[in-house]
Amino acid sequence: MAAAPSGLHAVLGAGPAGTSLALELARRGHAVRLVDRAGSGEPLGGIERFAGDVGATDGALAAIEGAEVVYHCVNVAYHLQVDVMPGIQEAILGAVARTGARLVVLDTLYPYGETHGEVMTEETPWRATTAKGKMRAALDENYLAAHNEGRARVVLGRSADFVGPRVLNSTLGGAVFPAALTGGEVLALGDIDLRHSYTNILDVARGLATLGENPSGDGRVWHLPTAPARTTREIFTALGDLVGRPLRTATMNEPRPFGPFDETFMNSYAELFYQHTEPQIMDSTAFQREFGLAPTPIGTTLRQTLEWYQDFLAARAKA
């Protein structure tokens, strides 16, 4: 169902999601511009790096000049999100409204709020009570209103917690894989016997690229391809099998600084800690059926991530 490579695709945000998406788009044959404030970073074949501030309309317009499709993968530190993300949305929406580019937005599960274990589909009501959840829901309402009113062409792709290459600041990231490889203490959040969905960052990239190539999906929220939820204990057991020894875990039953998560981060994350005290089950069946894109099995995801972290730790040791 993928469209033939067309004009420029501009990816805003060069974190793990934006970088993985830029690489996926280039692999599919698109001309790609990857935008962040610095405009620098690891060399990425066939991808134009661009330094720009998309927090203001003029900066966003410069960043997306000539683009047919724009991908909003910009994020900011947790403690800044409520204050900063609405302004970024206003600038990016204003820019695509003026240029006519389609907008693909990377989104989160936060608008759903506490589900008490209910499986999250695209039909699940938005019942967020946290500041960040209500902010995200308001942003999404604005995106969909802009589409429905004909001001912009917009589609949203929601992801569960990231896991995969380049993913450091995730509950299944830098506090888990380095320790698993070295025999250190692995961080476990909340009740690890609850099922929890994790989305492979490469599936995030494939899903967003697919939305970018298929305007038929515009005007709604989609759940990006995500493997069936497993308990975090099952994931840790599988990870232990891959490294050849059981993991040593340290359980965090309430938010506190640990490893890559400092006090500022954890204080801001505290309102979202419910994600580790109730099941977090995301269903992506609708996307899979519509676009024929299956999620990566969790075992494959763990192997991919371990391989990346092995290289990452080796490179850091040489630096």
Side-chain angles (χ1 to χ4, degrees), residues 232-270:
T232 302
R233 187 183 300 278
E234 289 173 328
I235 290 173
F236 283 177
T237 298
L239 189 53
D241 291 341
L242 288 172
V243 299
R245 59 176 173 271
L247 303 188
R248 296 174 48 233
T249 60
T251 301
M252 181 193 295
N253 291 316
E254 57 185 22
R256 60 178 175 79
F258 187 103
F261 305 120
D262 62 18
E263 185 174 5
T264 299
F265 175 90
M266 291 308 298
N267 286 344
S268 185
Y269 187 70

PDB file of all heavy atoms in Angstrom, residues 232-270:
ATOM      1  N   THR A 232       6.337  -7.519  32.677  1.00  0.00           N
ATOM      2  CA  THR A 232       7.736  -7.095  32.696  1.00  0.00           C
ATOM      3  C   THR A 232       8.612  -8.210  33.243  1.00  0.00           C
ATOM      4  O   THR A 232       9.762  -8.371  32.816  1.00  0.00           O
ATOM      5  CB  THR A 232       7.879  -5.811  33.530  1.00  0.00           C
ATOM      6  OG1 THR A 232       7.040  -4.800  32.960  1.00  0.00           O
ATOM      7  CG2 THR A 232       9.313  -5.319  33.549  1.00  0.00           C
ATOM      8  N   ARG A 233       8.092  -9.025  34.133  1.00  0.00           N
ATOM      9  CA  ARG A 233       8.877 -10.169  34.632  1.00  0.00           C
ATOM     10  C   ARG A 233       9.205 -11.122  33.483  1.00  0.00           C
ATOM     11  O   ARG A 233      10.336 -11.621  33.379  1.00  0.00           O
ATOM     12  CB  ARG A 233       8.121 -10.908  35.738  1.00  0.00           C
ATOM     13  CG  ARG A 233       8.976 -12.002  36.398  1.00  0.00           C
ATOM     14  CD  ARG A 233       8.184 -12.783  37.443  1.00  0.00           C
ATOM     15  NE  ARG A 233       7.677 -11.946  38.518  1.00  0.00           N
ATOM     16  CZ  ARG A 233       8.394 -11.555  39.570  1.00  0.00           C
ATOM     17  NH1 ARG A 233       9.672 -11.909  39.669  1.00  0.00           N
ATOM     18  NH2 ARG A 233       7.841 -10.819  40.518  1.00  0.00           N
ATOM     19  N   GLU A 234       8.225 -11.389  32.617  1.00  0.00           N
ATOM     20  CA  GLU A 234       8.484 -12.262  31.467  1.00  0.00           C
ATOM     21  C   GLU A 234       9.549 -11.665  30.550  1.00  0.00           C
ATOM     22  O   GLU A 234      10.410 -12.388  30.023  1.00  0.00           O
ATOM     23  CB  GLU A 234       7.194 -12.486  30.683  1.00  0.00           C
ATOM     24  CG  GLU A 234       6.175 -13.351  31.383  1.00  0.00           C
ATOM     25  CD  GLU A 234       4.847 -13.419  30.642  1.00  0.00           C
ATOM     26  OE1 GLU A 234       4.470 -12.424  29.981  1.00  0.00           O
ATOM     27  OE2 GLU A 234       4.179 -14.472  30.732  1.00  0.00           O
ATOM     28  N   ILE A 235       9.494 -10.358  30.372  1.00  0.00           N
ATOM     29  CA  ILE A 235      10.492  -9.696  29.534  1.00  0.00           C
ATOM     30  C   ILE A 235      11.874  -9.788  30.172  1.00  0.00           C
ATOM     31  O   ILE A 235      12.877 -10.079  29.494  1.00  0.00           O
ATOM     32  CB  ILE A 235      10.081  -8.240  29.270  1.00  0.00           C
ATOM     33  CG1 ILE A 235       8.859  -8.206  28.347  1.00  0.00           C
ATOM     34  CG2 ILE A 235      11.235  -7.447  28.664  1.00  0.00           C
ATOM     35  CD1 ILE A 235       8.258  -6.848  28.153  1.00  0.00           C
ATOM     36  N   PHE A 236      11.953  -9.582  31.474  1.00  0.00           N
ATOM     37  CA  PHE A 236      13.240  -9.697  32.162  1.00  0.00           C
ATOM     38  C   PHE A 236      13.771 -11.134  32.096  1.00  0.00           C
ATOM     39  O   PHE A 236      14.982 -11.345  31.954  1.00  0.00           O
ATOM     40  CB  PHE A 236      13.096  -9.264  33.625  1.00  0.00           C
ATOM     41  CG  PHE A 236      13.037  -7.770  33.826  1.00  0.00           C
ATOM     42  CD1 PHE A 236      12.855  -7.237  35.095  1.00  0.00           C
ATOM     43  CD2 PHE A 236      13.164  -6.887  32.760  1.00  0.00           C
ATOM     44  CE1 PHE A 236      12.813  -5.859  35.296  1.00  0.00           C
ATOM     45  CE2 PHE A 236      13.110  -5.516  32.950  1.00  0.00           C
ATOM     46  CZ  PHE A 236      12.939  -4.996  34.218  1.00  0.00           C
ATOM     47  N   THR A 237      12.891 -12.109  32.203  1.00  0.00           N
ATOM     48  CA  THR A 237      13.318 -13.505  32.102  1.00  0.00           C
ATOM     49  C   THR A 237      13.875 -13.788  30.714  1.00  0.00           C
ATOM     50  O   THR A 237      14.932 -14.423  30.568  1.00  0.00           O
ATOM     51  CB  THR A 237      12.147 -14.449  32.405  1.00  0.00           C
ATOM     52  OG1 THR A 237      11.698 -14.245  33.746  1.00  0.00           O
ATOM     53  CG2 THR A 237      12.559 -15.910  32.243  1.00  0.00           C
ATOM     54  N   ALA A 238      13.175 -13.320  29.683  1.00  0.00           N
ATOM     55  CA  ALA A 238      13.656 -13.510  28.311  1.00  0.00           C
ATOM     56  C   ALA A 238      14.986 -12.804  28.099  1.00  0.00           C
ATOM     57  O   ALA A 238      15.893 -13.327  27.423  1.00  0.00           O
ATOM     58  CB  ALA A 238      12.611 -13.002  27.320  1.00  0.00           C
ATOM     59  N   LEU A 239      15.136 -11.621  28.675  1.00  0.00           N
ATOM     60  CA  LEU A 239      16.385 -10.878  28.551  1.00  0.00           C
ATOM     61  C   LEU A 239      17.509 -11.616  29.275  1.00  0.00           C
ATOM     62  O   LEU A 239      18.647 -11.691  28.770  1.00  0.00           O
ATOM     63  CB  LEU A 239      16.187  -9.475  29.128  1.00  0.00           C
ATOM     64  CG  LEU A 239      17.290  -8.444  28.923  1.00  0.00           C
ATOM     65  CD1 LEU A 239      17.672  -8.324  27.459  1.00  0.00           C
ATOM     66  CD2 LEU A 239      16.843  -7.094  29.477  1.00  0.00           C
ATOM     67  N   GLY A 240      17.206 -12.178  30.431  1.00  0.00           N
ATOM     68  CA  GLY A 240      18.196 -12.971  31.146  1.00  0.00           C
ATOM     69  C   GLY A 240      18.644 -14.178  30.338  1.00  0.00           C
ATOM     70  O   GLY A 240      19.831 -14.526  30.323  1.00  0.00           O
ATOM     71  N   ASP A 241      17.710 -14.826  29.660  1.00  0.00           N
ATOM     72  CA  ASP A 241      18.067 -15.966  28.812  1.00  0.00           C
ATOM     73  C   ASP A 241      19.029 -15.536  27.707  1.00  0.00           C
ATOM     74  O   ASP A 241      19.975 -16.271  27.359  1.00  0.00           O
ATOM     75  CB  ASP A 241      16.817 -16.586  28.199  1.00  0.00           C
ATOM     76  CG  ASP A 241      15.925 -17.285  29.228  1.00  0.00           C
ATOM     77  OD1 ASP A 241      16.433 -17.594  30.330  1.00  0.00           O
ATOM     78  OD2 ASP A 241      14.736 -17.520  28.922  1.00  0.00           O
ATOM     79  N   LEU A 242      18.803 -14.348  27.154  1.00  0.00           N
ATOM     80  CA  LEU A 242      19.652 -13.865  26.059  1.00  0.00           C
ATOM     81  C   LEU A 242      21.072 -13.539  26.533  1.00  0.00           C
ATOM     82  O   LEU A 242      22.040 -13.741  25.787  1.00  0.00           O
ATOM     83  CB  LEU A 242      19.027 -12.630  25.413  1.00  0.00           C
ATOM     84  CG  LEU A 242      17.779 -12.878  24.562  1.00  0.00           C
ATOM     85  CD1 LEU A 242      17.155 -11.550  24.140  1.00  0.00           C
ATOM     86  CD2 LEU A 242      18.120 -13.701  23.324  1.00  0.00           C
ATOM     87  N   VAL A 243      21.207 -13.018  27.755  1.00  0.00           N
ATOM     88  CA  VAL A 243      22.544 -12.678  28.253  1.00  0.00           C
ATOM     89  C   VAL A 243      23.183 -13.842  29.002  1.00  0.00           C
ATOM     90  O   VAL A 243      24.358 -13.767  29.375  1.00  0.00           O
ATOM     91  CB  VAL A 243      22.513 -11.422  29.151  1.00  0.00           C
ATOM     92  CG1 VAL A 243      22.003 -10.225  28.366  1.00  0.00           C
ATOM     93  CG2 VAL A 243      21.693 -11.635  30.416  1.00  0.00           C
ATOM     94  N   GLY A 244      22.423 -14.902  29.233  1.00  0.00           N
ATOM     95  CA  GLY A 244      22.992 -16.108  29.818  1.00  0.00           C
ATOM     96  C   GLY A 244      23.015 -16.151  31.326  1.00  0.00           C
ATOM     97  O   GLY A 244      23.683 -17.009  31.920  1.00  0.00           O
ATOM     98  N   ARG A 245      22.253 -15.271  31.979  1.00  0.00           N
ATOM     99  CA  ARG A 245      22.164 -15.305  33.443  1.00  0.00           C
ATOM    100  C   ARG A 245      20.911 -14.555  33.878  1.00  0.00           C
ATOM    101  O   ARG A 245      20.496 -13.600  33.211  1.00  0.00           O
ATOM    102  CB  ARG A 245      23.399 -14.672  34.105  1.00  0.00           C
ATOM    103  CG  ARG A 245      23.627 -13.233  33.716  1.00  0.00           C
ATOM    104  CD  ARG A 245      24.803 -12.609  34.454  1.00  0.00           C
ATOM    105  NE  ARG A 245      25.071 -11.284  33.898  1.00  0.00           N
ATOM    106  CZ  ARG A 245      25.874 -11.052  32.874  1.00  0.00           C
ATOM    107  NH1 ARG A 245      26.525 -12.069  32.306  1.00  0.00           N
ATOM    108  NH2 ARG A 245      26.049  -9.821  32.426  1.00  0.00           N
ATOM    109  N   PRO A 246      20.299 -14.964  34.997  1.00  0.00           N
ATOM    110  CA  PRO A 246      19.127 -14.230  35.491  1.00  0.00           C
ATOM    111  C   PRO A 246      19.502 -12.789  35.837  1.00  0.00           C
ATOM    112  O   PRO A 246      20.620 -12.513  36.292  1.00  0.00           O
ATOM    113  CB  PRO A 246      18.725 -15.020  36.750  1.00  0.00           C
ATOM    114  CG  PRO A 246      19.361 -16.351  36.601  1.00  0.00           C
ATOM    115  CD  PRO A 246      20.634 -16.124  35.839  1.00  0.00           C
ATOM    116  N   LEU A 247      18.588 -11.889  35.602  1.00  0.00           N
ATOM    117  CA  LEU A 247      18.847 -10.489  35.910  1.00  0.00           C
ATOM    118  C   LEU A 247      18.744 -10.233  37.419  1.00  0.00           C
ATOM    119  O   LEU A 247      17.898 -10.811  38.099  1.00  0.00           O
ATOM    120  CB  LEU A 247      17.850  -9.587  35.180  1.00  0.00           C
ATOM    121  CG  LEU A 247      17.776  -9.695  33.658  1.00  0.00           C
ATOM    122  CD1 LEU A 247      16.883  -8.598  33.106  1.00  0.00           C
ATOM    123  CD2 LEU A 247      19.156  -9.636  33.024  1.00  0.00           C
ATOM    124  N   ARG A 248      19.582  -9.352  37.906  1.00  0.00           N
ATOM    125  CA  ARG A 248      19.473  -8.864  39.276  1.00  0.00           C
ATOM    126  C   ARG A 248      18.622  -7.612  39.237  1.00  0.00           C
ATOM    127  O   ARG A 248      18.993  -6.615  38.617  1.00  0.00           O
ATOM    128  CB  ARG A 248      20.857  -8.530  39.848  1.00  0.00           C
ATOM    129  CG  ARG A 248      21.791  -9.716  39.990  1.00  0.00           C
ATOM    130  CD  ARG A 248      23.187  -9.268  40.420  1.00  0.00           C
ATOM    131  NE  ARG A 248      23.120  -8.351  41.555  1.00  0.00           N
ATOM    132  CZ  ARG A 248      23.699  -7.148  41.573  1.00  0.00           C
ATOM    133  NH1 ARG A 248      24.352  -6.698  40.523  1.00  0.00           N
ATOM    134  NH2 ARG A 248      23.612  -6.382  42.654  1.00  0.00           N
ATOM    135  N   THR A 249      17.472  -7.645  39.874  1.00  0.00           N
ATOM    136  CA  THR A 249      16.535  -6.525  39.769  1.00  0.00           C
ATOM    137  C   THR A 249      16.418  -5.761  41.080  1.00  0.00           C
ATOM    138  O   THR A 249      16.531  -6.336  42.168  1.00  0.00           O
ATOM    139  CB  THR A 249      15.135  -7.013  39.353  1.00  0.00           C
ATOM    140  OG1 THR A 249      14.640  -7.933  40.326  1.00  0.00           O
ATOM    141  CG2 THR A 249      15.185  -7.690  37.990  1.00  0.00           C
ATOM    142  N   ALA A 250      16.188  -4.472  40.942  1.00  0.00           N
ATOM    143  CA  ALA A 250      15.867  -3.605  42.071  1.00  0.00           C
ATOM    144  C   ALA A 250      14.505  -3.000  41.792  1.00  0.00           C
ATOM    145  O   ALA A 250      14.322  -2.326  40.776  1.00  0.00           O
ATOM    146  CB  ALA A 250      16.915  -2.508  42.218  1.00  0.00           C
ATOM    147  N   THR A 251      13.543  -3.268  42.663  1.00  0.00           N
ATOM    148  CA  THR A 251      12.176  -2.818  42.432  1.00  0.00           C
ATOM    149  C   THR A 251      11.950  -1.437  43.035  1.00  0.00           C
ATOM    150  O   THR A 251      12.281  -1.184  44.196  1.00  0.00           O
ATOM    151  CB  THR A 251      11.171  -3.821  43.044  1.00  0.00           C
ATOM    152  OG1 THR A 251      11.379  -5.094  42.452  1.00  0.00           O
ATOM    153  CG2 THR A 251       9.743  -3.368  42.779  1.00  0.00           C
ATOM    154  N   MET A 252      11.378  -0.559  42.226  1.00  0.00           N
ATOM    155  CA  MET A 252      11.016   0.778  42.675  1.00  0.00           C
ATOM    156  C   MET A 252       9.493   0.839  42.770  1.00  0.00           C
ATOM    157  O   MET A 252       8.799   0.806  41.751  1.00  0.00           O
ATOM    158  CB  MET A 252      11.526   1.840  41.696  1.00  0.00           C
ATOM    159  CG  MET A 252      11.210   3.262  42.124  1.00  0.00           C
ATOM    160  SD  MET A 252      11.488   4.478  40.795  1.00  0.00           S
ATOM    161  CE  MET A 252      13.251   4.349  40.569  1.00  0.00           C
ATOM    162  N   ASN A 253       8.963   0.894  43.973  1.00  0.00           N
ATOM    163  CA  ASN A 253       7.515   0.905  44.175  1.00  0.00           C
ATOM    164  C   ASN A 253       6.921   2.307  44.214  1.00  0.00           C
ATOM    165  O   ASN A 253       5.700   2.465  44.228  1.00  0.00           O
ATOM    166  CB  ASN A 253       7.158   0.139  45.450  1.00  0.00           C
ATOM    167  CG  ASN A 253       7.419  -1.355  45.299  1.00  0.00           C
ATOM    168  OD1 ASN A 253       7.088  -1.943  44.274  1.00  0.00           O
ATOM    169  ND2 ASN A 253       8.028  -1.954  46.308  1.00  0.00           N
ATOM    170  N   GLU A 254       7.780   3.313  44.260  1.00  0.00           N
ATOM    171  CA  GLU A 254       7.324   4.697  44.176  1.00  0.00           C
ATOM    172  C   GLU A 254       8.435   5.496  43.507  1.00  0.00           C
ATOM    173  O   GLU A 254       9.604   5.081  43.513  1.00  0.00           O
ATOM    174  CB  GLU A 254       7.004   5.260  45.561  1.00  0.00           C
ATOM    175  CG  GLU A 254       8.147   5.207  46.530  1.00  0.00           C
ATOM    176  CD  GLU A 254       7.740   5.675  47.917  1.00  0.00           C
ATOM    177  OE1 GLU A 254       6.535   5.630  48.231  1.00  0.00           O
ATOM    178  OE2 GLU A 254       8.635   6.104  48.673  1.00  0.00           O
ATOM    179  N   PRO A 255       8.119   6.628  42.908  1.00  0.00           N
ATOM    180  CA  PRO A 255       9.126   7.369  42.143  1.00  0.00           C
ATOM    181  C   PRO A 255      10.270   7.860  43.018  1.00  0.00           C
ATOM    182  O   PRO A 255      10.064   8.452  44.074  1.00  0.00           O
ATOM    183  CB  PRO A 255       8.326   8.544  41.564  1.00  0.00           C
ATOM    184  CG  PRO A 255       6.902   8.130  41.627  1.00  0.00           C
ATOM    185  CD  PRO A 255       6.780   7.252  42.829  1.00  0.00           C
ATOM    186  N   ARG A 256      11.494   7.605  42.570  1.00  0.00           N
ATOM    187  CA  ARG A 256      12.699   8.133  43.201  1.00  0.00           C
ATOM    188  C   ARG A 256      13.818   8.105  42.167  1.00  0.00           C
ATOM    189  O   ARG A 256      13.754   7.347  41.202  1.00  0.00           O
ATOM    190  CB  ARG A 256      13.081   7.309  44.433  1.00  0.00           C
ATOM    191  CG  ARG A 256      13.359   5.833  44.146  1.00  0.00           C
ATOM    192  CD  ARG A 256      13.790   5.088  45.396  1.00  0.00           C
ATOM    193  NE  ARG A 256      13.937   3.655  45.169  1.00  0.00           N
ATOM    194  CZ  ARG A 256      14.983   3.087  44.588  1.00  0.00           C
ATOM    195  NH1 ARG A 256      16.001   3.837  44.167  1.00  0.00           N
ATOM    196  NH2 ARG A 256      15.039   1.775  44.417  1.00  0.00           N
ATOM    197  N   PRO A 257      14.841   8.926  42.335  1.00  0.00           N
ATOM    198  CA  PRO A 257      15.945   8.927  41.373  1.00  0.00           C
ATOM    199  C   PRO A 257      16.627   7.569  41.311  1.00  0.00           C
ATOM    200  O   PRO A 257      16.804   6.895  42.323  1.00  0.00           O
ATOM    201  CB  PRO A 257      16.897  10.001  41.938  1.00  0.00           C
ATOM    202  CG  PRO A 257      16.040  10.854  42.804  1.00  0.00           C
ATOM    203  CD  PRO A 257      15.008   9.945  43.389  1.00  0.00           C
ATOM    204  N   PHE A 258      16.981   7.166  40.078  1.00  0.00           N
ATOM    205  CA  PHE A 258      17.668   5.888  39.894  1.00  0.00           C
ATOM    206  C   PHE A 258      18.342   5.913  38.536  1.00  0.00           C
ATOM    207  O   PHE A 258      17.710   6.228  37.527  1.00  0.00           O
ATOM    208  CB  PHE A 258      16.684   4.718  39.950  1.00  0.00           C
ATOM    209  CG  PHE A 258      17.335   3.353  39.938  1.00  0.00           C
ATOM    210  CD1 PHE A 258      17.452   2.626  41.109  1.00  0.00           C
ATOM    211  CD2 PHE A 258      17.837   2.795  38.770  1.00  0.00           C
ATOM    212  CE1 PHE A 258      18.051   1.369  41.120  1.00  0.00           C
ATOM    213  CE2 PHE A 258      18.434   1.548  38.765  1.00  0.00           C
ATOM    214  CZ  PHE A 258      18.548   0.828  39.940  1.00  0.00           C
ATOM    215  N   GLY A 259      19.641   5.553  38.496  1.00  0.00           N
ATOM    216  CA  GLY A 259      20.343   5.421  37.227  1.00  0.00           C
ATOM    217  C   GLY A 259      20.219   6.685  36.384  1.00  0.00           C
ATOM    218  O   GLY A 259      20.554   7.788  36.837  1.00  0.00           O
ATOM    219  N   PRO A 260      19.716   6.551  35.140  1.00  0.00           N
ATOM    220  CA  PRO A 260      19.630   7.724  34.258  1.00  0.00           C
ATOM    221  C   PRO A 260      18.497   8.678  34.618  1.00  0.00           C
ATOM    222  O   PRO A 260      18.379   9.747  34.023  1.00  0.00           O
ATOM    223  CB  PRO A 260      19.380   7.094  32.887  1.00  0.00           C
ATOM    224  CG  PRO A 260      18.669   5.819  33.181  1.00  0.00           C
ATOM    225  CD  PRO A 260      19.259   5.317  34.473  1.00  0.00           C
ATOM    226  N   PHE A 261      17.664   8.310  35.592  1.00  0.00           N
ATOM    227  CA  PHE A 261      16.491   9.119  35.946  1.00  0.00           C
ATOM    228  C   PHE A 261      16.799   9.946  37.191  1.00  0.00           C
ATOM    229  O   PHE A 261      16.810   9.427  38.314  1.00  0.00           O
ATOM    230  CB  PHE A 261      15.280   8.223  36.189  1.00  0.00           C
ATOM    231  CG  PHE A 261      14.968   7.312  35.035  1.00  0.00           C
ATOM    232  CD1 PHE A 261      14.971   5.940  35.189  1.00  0.00           C
ATOM    233  CD2 PHE A 261      14.687   7.838  33.781  1.00  0.00           C
ATOM    234  CE1 PHE A 261      14.691   5.101  34.125  1.00  0.00           C
ATOM    235  CE2 PHE A 261      14.399   7.010  32.710  1.00  0.00           C
ATOM    236  CZ  PHE A 261      14.406   5.643  32.875  1.00  0.00           C
ATOM    237  N   ASP A 262      17.041  11.252  36.990  1.00  0.00           N
ATOM    238  CA  ASP A 262      17.411  12.100  38.118  1.00  0.00           C
ATOM    239  C   ASP A 262      16.166  12.583  38.865  1.00  0.00           C
ATOM    240  O   ASP A 262      15.026  12.268  38.504  1.00  0.00           O
ATOM    241  CB  ASP A 262      18.268  13.283  37.662  1.00  0.00           C
ATOM    242  CG  ASP A 262      17.555  14.211  36.683  1.00  0.00           C
ATOM    243  OD1 ASP A 262      16.318  14.170  36.588  1.00  0.00           O
ATOM    244  OD2 ASP A 262      18.261  14.994  36.011  1.00  0.00           O
ATOM    245  N   GLU A 263      16.404  13.370  39.924  1.00  0.00           N
ATOM    246  CA  GLU A 263      15.301  13.802  40.789  1.00  0.00           C
ATOM    247  C   GLU A 263      14.298  14.671  40.039  1.00  0.00           C
ATOM    248  O   GLU A 263      13.084  14.526  40.213  1.00  0.00           O
ATOM    249  CB  GLU A 263      15.855  14.561  41.992  1.00  0.00           C
ATOM    250  CG  GLU A 263      14.782  14.954  43.004  1.00  0.00           C
ATOM    251  CD  GLU A 263      15.364  15.573  44.255  1.00  0.00           C
ATOM    252  OE1 GLU A 263      16.590  15.788  44.303  1.00  0.00           O
ATOM    253  OE2 GLU A 263      14.586  15.853  45.189  1.00  0.00           O
ATOM    254  N   THR A 264      14.783  15.551  39.177  1.00  0.00           N
ATOM    255  CA  THR A 264      13.881  16.408  38.408  1.00  0.00           C
ATOM    256  C   THR A 264      12.962  15.579  37.533  1.00  0.00           C
ATOM    257  O   THR A 264      11.744  15.820  37.470  1.00  0.00           O
ATOM    258  CB  THR A 264      14.687  17.393  37.542  1.00  0.00           C
ATOM    259  OG1 THR A 264      15.490  18.220  38.396  1.00  0.00           O
ATOM    260  CG2 THR A 264      13.766  18.272  36.717  1.00  0.00           C
ATOM    261  N   PHE A 265      13.543  14.599  36.847  1.00  0.00           N
ATOM    262  CA  PHE A 265      12.735  13.737  35.984  1.00  0.00           C
ATOM    263  C   PHE A 265      11.702  12.969  36.799  1.00  0.00           C
ATOM    264  O   PHE A 265      10.511  12.946  36.461  1.00  0.00           O
ATOM    265  CB  PHE A 265      13.626  12.755  35.216  1.00  0.00           C
ATOM    266  CG  PHE A 265      12.852  11.760  34.391  1.00  0.00           C
ATOM    267  CD1 PHE A 265      12.524  12.039  33.074  1.00  0.00           C
ATOM    268  CD2 PHE A 265      12.433  10.542  34.933  1.00  0.00           C
ATOM    269  CE1 PHE A 265      11.796  11.134  32.313  1.00  0.00           C
ATOM    270  CE2 PHE A 265      11.712   9.633  34.187  1.00  0.00           C
ATOM    271  CZ  PHE A 265      11.386   9.935  32.867  1.00  0.00           C
ATOM    272  N   MET A 266      12.133  12.321  37.864  1.00  0.00           N
ATOM    273  CA  MET A 266      11.226  11.456  38.613  1.00  0.00           C
ATOM    274  C   MET A 266      10.128  12.257  39.301  1.00  0.00           C
ATOM    275  O   MET A 266       8.991  11.785  39.400  1.00  0.00           O
ATOM    276  CB  MET A 266      11.998  10.610  39.626  1.00  0.00           C
ATOM    277  CG  MET A 266      12.887   9.548  38.993  1.00  0.00           C
ATOM    278  SD  MET A 266      12.061   8.458  37.780  1.00  0.00           S
ATOM    279  CE  MET A 266      10.813   7.658  38.796  1.00  0.00           C
ATOM    280  N   ASN A 267      10.436  13.457  39.770  1.00  0.00           N
ATOM    281  CA  ASN A 267       9.390  14.281  40.374  1.00  0.00           C
ATOM    282  C   ASN A 267       8.302  14.598  39.350  1.00  0.00           C
ATOM    283  O   ASN A 267       7.113  14.643  39.677  1.00  0.00           O
ATOM    284  CB  ASN A 267       9.988  15.572  40.937  1.00  0.00           C
ATOM    285  CG  ASN A 267      10.764  15.355  42.212  1.00  0.00           C
ATOM    286  OD1 ASN A 267      10.630  14.320  42.859  1.00  0.00           O
ATOM    287  ND2 ASN A 267      11.581  16.327  42.586  1.00  0.00           N
ATOM    288  N   SER A 268       8.718  14.841  38.112  1.00  0.00           N
ATOM    289  CA  SER A 268       7.754  15.158  37.061  1.00  0.00           C
ATOM    290  C   SER A 268       7.031  13.914  36.561  1.00  0.00           C
ATOM    291  O   SER A 268       5.872  13.988  36.156  1.00  0.00           O
ATOM    292  CB  SER A 268       8.468  15.855  35.904  1.00  0.00           C
ATOM    293  OG  SER A 268       7.550  16.271  34.917  1.00  0.00           O
ATOM    294  N   TYR A 269       7.708  12.785  36.617  1.00  0.00           N
ATOM    295  CA  TYR A 269       7.128  11.524  36.142  1.00  0.00           C
ATOM    296  C   TYR A 269       6.144  10.929  37.153  1.00  0.00           C
ATOM    297  O   TYR A 269       5.318  10.088  36.796  1.00  0.00           O
ATOM    298  CB  TYR A 269       8.245  10.513  35.858  1.00  0.00           C
ATOM    299  CG  TYR A 269       7.782   9.231  35.211  1.00  0.00           C
ATOM    300  CD1 TYR A 269       7.340   9.213  33.899  1.00  0.00           C
ATOM    301  CD2 TYR A 269       7.809   8.031  35.921  1.00  0.00           C
ATOM    302  CE1 TYR A 269       6.921   8.035  33.298  1.00  0.00           C
ATOM    303  CE2 TYR A 269       7.393   6.842  35.331  1.00  0.00           C
ATOM    304  CZ  TYR A 269       6.956   6.851  34.020  1.00  0.00           C
ATOM    305  OH  TYR A 269       6.541   5.678  33.427  1.00  0.00           O
ATOM    306  N   ALA A 270       6.193  11.395  38.391  1.00  0.00           N
ATOM    307  CA  ALA A 270       5.415  10.772  39.467  1.00  0.00           C
ATOM    308  C   ALA A 270       3.936  10.656  39.123  1.00  0.00           C
ATOM    309  O   ALA A 270       3.290   9.650  39.438  1.00  0.00           O
ATOM    310  CB  ALA A 270       5.599  11.552  40.763  1.00  0.00           C
TER     311      ALA A 270
END
